[in-house]
Amino acid sequence: MLAFATVGSTQFDSLVQAILSPSVLSTLRRKGYHQLIVQCGNSNFELASSISGGQLNIEKEGIDIELWKFKPTLQNEYEKADLVISHAGSGTILDVLRLGKPLLTVVNPTLLDNHQQELASALAELGHLQVSNVVIMAPRVLESVLVSEDAQSYENENVHAIYDEIASHFSSTRYKPWPVISAFMSSLSTGWVGLDAGTGNGKYLPLPLDRPTDIFTVGLDRSIKLLRIARIAGESQQIREVVWGDILGHGWRSGVFDYAISIATIHHLATHERRIQAIQRLIKSVSPRHGRILIYVWAIEQDELSKRKVIADDESNSNKKGKDVIVPWILASQKDAHKDSTGPQVFNRYYHMFAKGELSGLVHDAARGLGIGVGPPHESLSSKRGVEIIQDDWERSNYYVELKCWEISGPLN
C-alpha cells in the first residue's frame, strides 16, 4: 500500500521530520504500507540538502520513500494513495475528501492566525477525517523522575500550580466523555447524589446526557481556575455544584454520596501511600450498602494513538509498581509563538503511570487498611462490609476499576 504525505506550499519542518522518524515508519509498515511519497516543500530536515534533480529515493525501516519539493498538481498522488497525511489546509482537505481517501490531518501550529485547528476538529467530529499532531505521530519516551522531597510540596509545584497555569488550554482539549464512564453514569439510579473527585473542567458533571436531571454530581478539584470552567459545564449553561478541595481531604461525612468517580486524578499523587489513601477516601465517601465507584488512571501500556511512550524499546517492562514520569504540556498560542522567539511554554507535570494489576492491588490495600473485605458479599467469611471489583480493565491507555460497596446487616454465616 502507498501513503502520501504533503505539506502544501508552506514549510512544515516538524511534520516531515515526524513522518520520516523510525517510530512512524515502523507503524506504517506494520499497517501494510510499503511505499511512502513525501511532498516536503521548503521544509528543513536532515535529507533536505540531498534532494537533487528535484527528487530523492531512499529505503528506510523497510519502506521505499520518494521525496520531492513541489509539483504543479498533487491530484495524481491523491488518486494513487491508500492514505493521505496532510497539513490541515482547507484546499487539500477538500481535494482528498472528494476522492473518498482516508485522511490524517496534522495542524501546523506555526502559522499565524490560521483556522486549521477549528476546521480539522470540526470535520473530525463529523467522522470525515482524523486529526493528529507531530508529537502524537512520533511519540517520545517520557522522562523518569524520582520524588525525593515532601510529596505534598512536590505535588503543589508539579501538579496543582501547573493546572492553574494551563486551565483554559487544558479545558479546550477535554470535551468528549469516554464511553465506559458515560455508561457508568447512565446506569446510576434516579435520585442519586455523587462526587466527581478531580473534576477538572467538569465534563462529566452534566451526565447522563439522556436524563441530565435524574442524578446530581458534585465536582471537586484543587484548581480554582478549572472549577470556574466546571461551574458552567455543559451546553445548558446550568450552574454546577463545585467544591475547591483535595481528594485526600475530609470535606464530607462518611457515606454521604451514592456514587463517586475519579478520572485521571490519582495518578498525580506522588507516593504509593497517598494513592491508597485516595481510594480509601472514595470508599468512605459513598454509602457502605450500595455505593458505586469508578476510577481511571493512566497506564504504562499506551495504545498506538498515544502521543506518549512510557517504556523505551530497550527498557524492561517487568515493573509491577508502575513508573514515575514527567509529562510535558506545551502551552502556545499562534500569536504568542510569533512574538516570542523563545518558543512555547512547556509545563512538566508529574504522573505515576500504572502497571497492569497495580490499580486493583491498591483497592485491596485500601480495603485492608479500612478493615473491610474485597469480593462479593457471599464470599466473605469474616467481614460485614466490603467492596466488590465489578470491572478491572484497560481502555485507550488507561486502567480502570469499577467498585460496588456492600454491607451485611445480619450475622455472618
Side-chain angles (χ1 to χ4, degrees):
M1 290 196 298
L2 168 66
F4 174 56
T6 172
V7 304
S9 60
T10 62
Q11 180 175 334
F12 200 166
D13 304 347
S14 56
L15 175 56
V16 177
Q17 292 163 4
I19 289 171
L20 298 177
S21 68
S23 59
V24 171
L25 293 175
S26 297
T27 299
L28 287 172
R29 190 183 68 249
R30 288 196 301 271
K31 298 292 185 180
Y33 293 91
H34 300 287
Q35 291 180 278
L36 171 64
I37 299 175
V38 181
Q39 182 266 315
C40 57
N42 291 318
S43 302
N44 290 320
F45 60 105
E46 184 180 1
L47 298 173
S49 60
S50 301
I51 301 178
S52 59
Q55 183 171 311
L56 174 66
N57 293 87
I58 61 172
E59 188 276 334
K60 189 175 180 181
E61 301 292 330
I63 294 182
D64 294 322
I65 305 172
E66 174 186 310
L67 300 104
W68 37 266
K69 292 186 176 183
F70 299 104
K71 284 187 177 180
T73 176
L74 302 180
Q75 188 67 24
N76 186 49
E77 279 68 28
Y78 295 152
E79 292 176 353
K80 290 191 304 182
D82 298 290
L83 168 69
V84 177
I85 304 171
S86 170
H87 67 111
S90 58
T92 300
I93 289 175
L94 294 175
D95 287 343
V96 176
L97 292 182
R98 287 192 188 103
L99 295 173
K101 299 287 184 173
L103 175 61
L104 173 64
T105 60
V106 183
V107 175
N108 188 344
T110 65
L111 297 181
L112 181 62
D113 295 332
N114 77 88
H115 300 286
Q116 288 193 358
Q117 183 68 61
E118 292 86 348
L119 174 63
S121 297
L123 291 173
E125 284 290 311
L126 295 173
H128 296 306
L129 50 79
Q130 296 292 320
V131 180
S132 185
N133 61 54
V134 292
V135 178
I136 293 176
M137 291 183 65
R140 296 182 179 180
V141 178
L142 297 176
E143 179 184 345
S144 299
V145 65
L146 177 64
V147 181
S148 57
E149 59 188 274
D150 174 70
Q152 181 65 72
S153 299
Y154 184 83
E155 292 163 16
N156 288 344
E157 180 179 353
N158 296 281
V159 180
H160 306 311
I162 290 176
Y163 276 103
D164 269 338
E165 289 283 346
I166 67 173
S168 179
H169 187 208
F170 176 82
S171 177
S172 69
T173 68
R174 301 296 192 271
Y175 52 86
K176 189 174 183 179
W178 285 34
V180 171
I181 304 169
S182 295
F184 175 83
M185 300 294 282
S186 293
S187 70
L188 299 172
S189 299
T190 298
W192 275 17
V193 177
L195 169 68
D196 182 356
T199 192
N201 69 347
K203 71 175 180 179
Y204 294 111
L205 298 182
L207 298 186
L209 295 178
D210 58 340
R211 49 187 188 93
T213 61
D214 282 6
I215 65 173
F216 185 81
T217 308
V218 178
L220 169 78
D221 207 275
R222 273 290 302 267
S223 170
I224 194 67
K225 291 186 178 180
L226 282 173
L227 283 179
R228 288 172 182 151
I229 299 171
R231 196 162 181 262
I232 54 172
E235 295 181 357
S236 68
Q237 296 296 299
Q238 175 184 337
I239 300 300
R240 310 291 173 182
E241 190 72 28
V242 296
V243 177
W244 185 40
D246 195 299
I247 191 174
L248 298 181
H250 297 273
W252 16 74
R253 66 181 186 274
S254 296
V256 68
F257 295 112
D258 299 295
Y259 61 93
I261 63 173
S262 179
I263 312 302
T265 297
I266 291 177
H267 55 218
H268 284 308
L269 297 173
T271 67
H272 180 77
E273 292 72 23
R274 289 169 70 79
R275 294 187 282 272
I276 292 175
Q277 189 180 9
I279 295 178
Q280 289 176 334
R281 292 286 188 270
L282 292 171
I283 294 173
K284 292 180 69 175
S285 73
V286 300
S287 167
R289 296 181 179 179
H290 64 257
R292 295 177 61 188
I293 301 169
L294 183 65
I295 303 170
Y296 264 69
V297 294
W298 282 13
I300 282 180
E301 293 80 7
Q302 298 284 294
D303 67 19
E304 63 182 14
L305 296 178
S306 175
K307 58 188 175 183
R308 299 170 290 272
K309 190 172 184 180
V310 184
I311 302 295
D313 294 335
D314 58 352
E315 184 179 355
S316 171
N317 193 17
S318 61
N319 188 353
K320 303 300 182 183
K321 295 184 179 180
K323 185 177 181 181
D324 292 335
V325 299
I326 288 174
V327 179
W329 183 274
I330 301 173
L331 182 65
S333 68
Q334 294 168 351
K335 292 182 179 180
D336 290 345
H338 285 261
K339 290 181 180 179
D340 186 357
S341 60
T342 61
Q345 287 181 283
V346 179
F347 296 90
N348 291 316
R349 301 165 293 162
Y350 166 81
Y351 279 76
H352 176 79
M353 309 297 277
F354 276 69
K356 185 177 182 180
E358 185 182 2
L359 181 56
S360 58
L362 283 182
V363 173
H364 282 265
D365 291 342
R368 189 180 305 114
L370 294 174
I372 63 177
V374 178
H378 65 269
E379 293 182 1
S380 177
L381 299 177
S382 59
S383 299
K384 284 195 169 187
R385 282 191 56 195
V387 292
E388 181 180 358
I389 300 178
I390 304 299
Q391 293 189 80
D392 179 7
D393 211 339
W394 178 94
E395 181 197 27
R396 290 289 309 275
S397 306
N398 290 259
Y399 283 117
Y400 68 92
V401 292
E402 180 186 347
L403 312 177
K404 184 176 182 180
C405 298
W406 53 263
E407 185 175 53
I408 299 174
S409 56
L412 294 171
N413 294 329

